[in-house]
Amino acid sequence: GKYISLGYHEQHDVKAIVDYLQSLRCYHPIGIWGRSMGAATALLYCNRYSSVTSDHPISCLILDSPFASIKQLSHELITSPQIKIPKRVSSSLGKFGLRLVRSSIKKRAKFDIFDLEPITVVQNCDVPALFIHAEDDTLINIQHSYDLYEKYGSPNKYFLKVAGVHSSLRPTNTFEE
C-alpha cells in the first residue's frame, strides 16, 4: 500500500500470501518470522485469521523484537534519554502529538493507530512461538516481548534473549539450542 501501517494493513498481506501458498496445494506447514513491526503483524494475523478454522496452515511463529502496544512504545520513545526532551515538555508533547498523528493517520491511511495493540490479542494465538529480543534494544524495550510472552495463548512458547541491539544481526547459533 501507500503507507506503512505497522502491521494493521500488513496482516492482510500475510493472509494473501498464506492463501496463495495454500492454493498451490504443494506447500508444507508455514512458519512466520516477523521482526519488529513484522512480529506485530504476525500476531495481528494470527489473531484475526488463524483461529478462524482449526486447520490453519501456520505451524509456528518466530516473533523477533515485537512491540506490545503502539501507545506504550510511543510514550517510551518520546521520553527516552536519547531524545533529550525535558520531562514536562515530553509528557504534554507525547499526548498531544500522538492525538495529532492519530488523526492524520486515520484520514490518510484509513486505520486507527490505537488498534495496534498486539498485547490485547496475543492470548488468541495458539500456535507454538519463539520470542526473540536483543537485551540492549533501545528502540523497543525487551519488556514488550516479556509482556507478550506472558499473555501468549499457546503453552508451546519459548523466549530467547540475544546479545545486541534492535537492528543487530542475530547470532548464527540462535536456533541450535
Side-chain angles (χ1 to χ4, degrees):
K2 187 175 180 181
Y3 299 102
I4 294 170
S5 66
L6 300 175
Y8 185 82
H9 291 304
E10 290 82 0
Q11 67 183 302
H12 307 300
D13 297 338
V14 172
K15 173 144 180 20
I17 292 166
V18 170
D19 287 349
Y20 173 74
L21 291 172
Q22 283 186 291
S23 77
L24 297 177
R25 301 199 189 287
C26 63
Y27 69 91
H28 296 281
I30 300 167
I32 298 175
W33 183 332
R35 187 161 182 180
S36 194
M37 96 164 199
T41 301
L43 289 168
L44 295 171
Y45 165 84
C46 190
N47 171 65
R48 175 168 251 158
Y49 296 109
S50 73
S51 59
V52 173
T53 68
S54 60
D55 63 335
H56 60 82
I58 304 304
S59 60
C60 69
L61 298 177
I62 300 174
L63 304 164
D64 191 338
S65 309
F67 63 85
S69 161
I70 199 68
K71 289 183 269 190
Q72 178 185 347
L73 179 61
S74 299
H75 173 75
E76 290 167 0
L77 290 173
I78 199 79
T79 59
S80 76
Q82 290 88 354
I83 302 234
K84 296 186 171 70
I85 298 174
K87 195 171 199 161
R88 59 181 152 61
V89 174
S90 68
S91 177
S92 299
L93 179 63
K95 290 175 187 170
F96 175 73
L98 192 56
R99 282 196 307 261
L100 193 62
V101 167
R102 179 184 186 203
S103 175
S104 178
I105 288 172
K106 277 182 170 180
K107 283 184 202 169
R108 295 174 189 217
K110 309 294 186 230
F111 79 98
D112 187 348
I113 59 171
F114 286 1
D115 290 338
L116 294 172
E117 299 291 314
I119 194 72
T120 65
V121 299
V122 70
Q123 74 280 357
N124 299 328
C125 299
D126 60 359
V127 297
L130 171 63
F131 289 79
I132 303 172
H133 213 107
E135 59 190 346
D136 295 321
D137 190 334
T138 57
L139 182 62
I140 300 176
N141 188 290
I142 196 169
Q143 190 61 48
H144 285 260
S145 282
Y146 286 138
D147 293 346
L148 289 165
Y149 175 83
E150 280 300 313
K151 290 190 170 191
Y152 193 74
S154 172
N156 297 319
K157 58 186 179 181
Y158 309 91
F159 197 99
L160 180 62
K161 183 168 63 169
V162 296
V165 297
H166 189 75
S167 58
S168 296
L169 292 175
R170 296 305 181 233
T172 55
N173 66 345
T174 297
F175 300 105
E176 291 175 6
E177 296 178 20

